[in-house]
Amino acid sequence: MSTRKLLDFRNLLSESKNIAILTGAGVSAESGIGTFRGPSGMWRTHNAVDLATPTAFASNPSLVWEFYQWRRSVAFNAKPNDAHLALAKFEERCNRENRQFTLLTQNVDGLHIKAGSKNVLEIHGSIRKVVCTKCKFVDENLDQPICEALRGRGDPNGGNQSAIPVGELPKCKRCSSLVRPFVVWFGENLDRDVLKKCRKVVETCDLFLVVGTSSVVYPAASFAPFVADRGKPVAEFNIEDEPASSTFQFYFAGPCGTTLPAALS
Ligand SMILES: CC(C)NC(=O)[C@H](Cc1c[nH]c2ccccc12)NC(=O)[C@H](CCCC/N=C(/NCCC(=O)O)S[C@H]1O[C@H](COP(=O)(O)OP(=O)(O)OC[C@H]2O[C@@H](n3cnc4c(N)ncnc43)[C@H](O)[C@@H]2O)[C@@H](O)[C@H]1O)NC(=O)OCc1ccccc1
Ligand SMILES: [Zn+2]
């Protein structure tokens, strides 16, 4: 990206009053958390998107809980990287300058909040929380392992794969029924209130940034085009040399742990 473009972007950034940002797995890649595309999108012989479904959980809750036990262990041991930190720092600046800042993330790893971001919408939920399949009680649970039966389980390269009886899987603190990760699975609707907040953000922001996402999962993938259709500027940050879609005004190629601090500081 030419310095000319970078300067143009930074001027626009300093004039904007209502900035919104959408992040995806690419923002956590430099924290050692694999993305969904490519080899890291596989767990054992399963494609992550096949395990992140209500049907997979209904047919094999033990396997799905092993998958999430592993992802919790990776996420809980991960540290926010310079991209997360730059976003948290930029939010503070916006607050000081009375400008609106909203961070929408598809990531369930909790690293934005760990980095200090405040106005964060985790549109696909968080693996730091569980929800009861019976009474719907939502509880933050950072226990590692989350239950005794999952101790040492979840190894992506094999290990003990015998099915864990449902009665030994994580239980609700209120009614002792089976709990599931508090995440939105494929084929499930996003939370109504979260969707309403997302709609307000894309209808009112005057600058939208898209960071580290392949923009294939909906409804999140519809946000940036919606803002662009309103005639508002969109800037994309991605490690790929070329933008997936060239409809946006700005494209910053490279690892976002480098490009984002350079653009936002
Ligand atoms: C696959 C896709 C086609 N399917 C969908 O979109 C589906 C169905 C659908 C609905 N509407 C549609 C319209 C058209 C087609 C399909 C649909 N959507 C849904 O089911 C949604 C629910 C979607 C949410 C699912 N849950 C997730 N996560 C939580 C769980 C969990 O995480 O376990 S989605 C999950 O996958 C997505 C992964 O995408 P990315 O984050 O972008 O990651 P990816 O690996 O793909 O890309 C990484 C990018 O980063 C870049 N990168 C890598 N390293 C770096 C680096 N260092 N720096 C910068 N960039 C980098 C790479 O180049 C790459 O571009 C994220 O959203 C993530 O949250 N629900 C729904 O719409 O309900 C109503 C409904 C229901 C049925 C039918 C109609 C309507
Ligand atoms: Zn319960």
Side-chain angles (χ1 to χ4, degrees):
M1 167 70 60
S2 70
T3 42
R4 172 76 258 147
K5 270 281 182 174
L6 181 57
L7 279 177
D8 292 352
F9 173 75
R10 291 168 65 81
N11 291 338
L12 190 62
L13 192 67
S14 55
E15 286 148 20
S16 301
K17 297 279 173 289
N18 182 338
I19 298 137
I21 302 188
L22 174 69
T23 65
V27 86
S28 292
E30 293 159 69
S31 296
I33 298 185
T35 63
F36 282 69
R37 290 308 95 206
S40 56
M42 294 299 290
W43 179 81
R44 294 182 182 164
T45 58
H46 307 278
N47 193 319
V49 290
D50 299 334
L51 291 169
T53 64
T55 34
F57 190 69
S59 61
N60 194 337
S62 169
L63 183 72
V64 172
W65 257 120
E66 278 202 81
F67 172 57
Y68 281 98
Q69 166 59 34
W70 173 66
R71 290 183 62 194
R72 284 166 56 94
S73 62
V74 172
F76 295 173
N77 295 313
K79 296 211 171 0
N81 63 59
D82 291 347
H84 297 107
L85 299 171
L87 288 167
K89 197 154 157 268
F90 182 68
E91 179 178 8
E92 280 165 18
R93 176 180 153 196
C94 287
N95 295 342
R96 280 197 310 277
E97 299 167 357
N98 291 324
R99 298 194 280 164
Q100 178 64 31
F101 173 97
T102 312
L103 179 53
L104 310 174
T105 188
Q106 300 168 79
N107 302 342
V108 297
D109 57 34
L111 288 186
H112 282 302
I113 293 168
K114 223 186 218 178
S117 287
K118 301 282 181 285
N119 190 16
V120 182
L121 271 179
E122 296 178 307
I123 69 172
H124 293 161
S126 171
I127 54 176
R128 297 166 67 86
K129 299 174 181 167
V130 294
V131 57
C132 177
T133 57
K134 192 147 173 289
C135 75
K136 307 300 177 211
F137 175 57
V138 176
D139 184 31
E140 180 163 64
N141 181 317
L142 303 181
D143 300 347
Q144 266 303 62
I146 188 166
C147 68
E148 206 39 49
L150 282 166
R151 184 176 297 284
R153 300 292 299 260
D155 176 346
N157 309 313
N160 168 0
Q161 301 189 15
S162 59
I164 300 165
V166 171
E168 294 174 27
L169 288 173
K171 290 186 178 55
C172 173
K173 289 206 181 95
R174 254 204 204 146
C175 75
S176 303
S177 302
L178 175 67
V179 296
R180 54 168 275 181
F182 183 69
V183 296
V184 180
W185 280 329
F186 288 96
E188 294 182 325
N189 281 309
L190 274 60
D191 173 86
R192 190 187 303 281
D193 183 45
V194 167
L195 266 181
K196 223 164 57 196
K197 288 180 178 152
C198 290
R199 173 173 292 283
K200 183 158 176 300
V201 167
V202 293
E203 287 175 347
T204 59
C205 68
D206 56 12
L207 175 61
F208 196 82
L209 279 60
V210 191
V211 183
T213 182
S214 58
S215 299
V216 294
V217 171
Y218 287 79
S222 69
F223 295 169
F226 182 92
V227 174
D229 291 349
R230 287 180 44 226
K232 299 297 178 185
V234 174
E236 183 171 10
F237 294 74
N238 196 291
I239 202 162
E240 300 288 336
D241 296 343
E242 293 308 316
S245 60
S246 56
T247 51
F248 305 142
Q249 224 164 326
F250 298 94
Y251 185 77
F252 294 88
C256 57
T258 305
T259 57
L260 211 49
L264 296 183
S265 59

